[in-house]
Amino acid sequence: MSTSRITQSQITDPRCWSFARRALAEKRSETKRKPFWFWIEVELPNQKKQWYQLPKDLQFAMRQYLHERPKEWAKVLNGALINVPQSDYDDQGYASLTLGMIRQVKIRRQHTSISRQVSRSQFIMPEWTWYGLANKKQIKRFMFHDHDTGNRKNILAALRHWEIQFLLKKYFKIGDF
């Protein structure tokens, strides 16, 4: 009769565990992980700040960025312009939109099902808007691309507001851009 001695390292080393024990440990670790979502604080042209949840496609991109650059993810969207709803969506799926500036990004364990609290996927990074990589025609075409005339007017007015804010900061050191 042989007795096998089990060492402490074999108890804690998952490679020595049976398949069933490893599967159970993985299942437990998955249940401990709570889901999270990325939220952005957006400054609107009227200087009010509101929190919006990023849409699903941007959630996925931010999760990848968080994994690749864990120290830089919180600042990647700061200063970007993004389309956000200002009203509830009607039966045809239309809402009043405006263009806001992202001031900060946070991770929350809270998920929203309210459609007016979810931003749109259309955003432009600051290096494209203010430093000449895209011209105004390209910016307008991208931000307008499937919106009605009323929303186009709102977005254009907001784009002009943010451009004036940038120029005031750049040339006269006025304001917080």
Side-chain angles (χ1 to χ4, degrees):
M1 196 186 284
S2 70
T3 59
S4 61
R5 294 182 70 193
I6 298 175
T7 63
Q8 184 63 28
S9 64
Q10 289 175 327
I11 293 172
T12 57
D13 186 8
R15 294 176 295 179
C16 298
W17 296 352
S18 68
F19 175 78
R21 185 172 177 195
R22 279 194 313 259
L24 185 59
E26 286 177 16
K27 186 71 174 169
R28 283 186 186 149
S29 68
E30 285 176 12
T31 58
K32 288 181 184 177
R33 263 187 254 144
K34 293 184 180 178
F36 63 90
W37 291 270
F38 291 95
W39 286 72
I40 52 174
E41 184 182 35
V42 176
E43 183 178 343
L44 303 173
N46 61 7
Q47 276 73 41
K48 290 184 181 178
K49 292 183 180 180
Q50 283 186 299
W51 284 94
Y52 292 92
Q53 181 180 309
L54 287 176
K56 289 180 186 178
D57 54 347
L58 294 181
Q59 292 282 339
F60 179 73
M62 284 298 293
R63 287 175 197 273
Q64 284 184 322
Y65 197 83
L66 172 66
H67 181 70
E68 292 171 6
R69 297 190 178 126
K71 294 183 181 180
E72 300 171 16
W73 70 269
K75 294 180 180 148
V76 68
L77 291 176
N78 288 354
L81 297 176
I82 190 164
N83 281 342
V84 292
Q86 292 216 284
S87 67
D88 291 325
Y89 286 85
D90 62 11
D91 295 337
Q92 288 80 30
Y94 292 105
S96 175
L97 299 176
T98 191
L99 192 64
M101 182 174 288
I102 298 174
R103 291 301 183 184
Q104 62 177 320
V105 181
K106 296 277 185 187
I107 291 177
R108 291 186 180 173
R109 303 274 182 213
Q110 173 187 357
H111 175 67
T112 186
S113 59
I114 302 169
S115 60
R116 76 177 299 171
Q117 290 181 338
V118 179
S119 72
R120 301 294 293 248
S121 295
Q122 298 158 311
F123 72 96
I124 296 182
M125 298 299 287
E127 55 268 15
W128 285 89
T129 52
W130 313 122
Y131 303 109
L133 295 178
N135 64 32
K136 288 182 188 177
K137 189 175 183 179
Q138 291 171 323
I139 293 169
K140 283 194 271 187
R141 188 180 311 137
F142 177 69
M143 297 310 270
F144 288 178
H145 79 268
D146 60 350
H147 301 301
D148 61 355
T149 306
N151 281 335
R152 288 180 182 204
K153 288 179 182 177
N154 291 345
I155 293 168
L156 182 60
L159 184 61
R160 287 183 180 147
H161 165 80
W162 293 117
E163 184 179 19
I164 289 168
Q165 293 296 315
F166 173 74
L167 294 173
L168 286 173
K169 178 67 176 176
K170 182 178 179 181
Y171 294 112
F172 301 108
K173 308 294 187 242
I174 298 172
D176 179 33
F177 193 75

